[in-house]
Amino acid sequence: MTSLMIAIAAGVLFGVIKLCLNIKLFHGEAYNKTFACPNCSARFKAKWYQMIFKTESVYTYNAARLKCPVCHEKDMCSVVYDER
């Protein structure tokens, strides 16, 4: 019973630490990017709750596994940068 309580506490602690580390998400670093769907080429911005655990993939691969709001397919959507 105590090992279960320790496991639950460790899981909650890990979740809180992960959320604190990703707080930069709310300042627009990963959240405020435009993504392109590889299936229908639609461009969209991800919701904040879709990006909480995906900031590493955005920074590392410039892509994230997201569900497209147009074609509703879940695939690796790449980051689109504005042409200036």
Side-chain angles (χ1 to χ4, degrees):
M1 184 69 169
T2 55
S3 62
L4 179 65
M5 298 281 284
I6 292 171
I8 291 173
V12 170
L13 182 64
F14 174 76
V16 169
I17 290 171
K18 180 75 170 171
L19 188 60
C20 290
L21 290 175
N22 288 332
I23 200 69
K24 61 186 171 207
L25 171 76
F26 299 105
H27 295 291
E29 290 181 21
Y31 169 65
N32 202 16
K33 294 190 184 295
T34 303
F35 292 91
C37 176
N39 300 317
C40 66
S41 300
R43 293 182 178 202
F44 62 94
K45 291 196 182 260
K47 306 284 189 219
W48 67 269
Y49 52 84
Q50 293 174 317
M51 295 302 298
I52 287 178
F53 295 105
K54 296 184 170 114
T55 55
E56 287 88 5
S57 67
V58 172
Y59 294 134
T60 306
Y61 305 112
N62 283 332
R65 186 168 172 83
L66 298 169
K67 184 175 181 180
C68 176
V70 177
C71 67
H72 304 288
E73 292 289 326
K74 195 170 194 178
D75 206 348
M76 287 299 285
C77 300
S78 58
V79 176
V80 178
Y81 296 100
D82 294 334
E83 295 129 8
R84 293 180 185 206

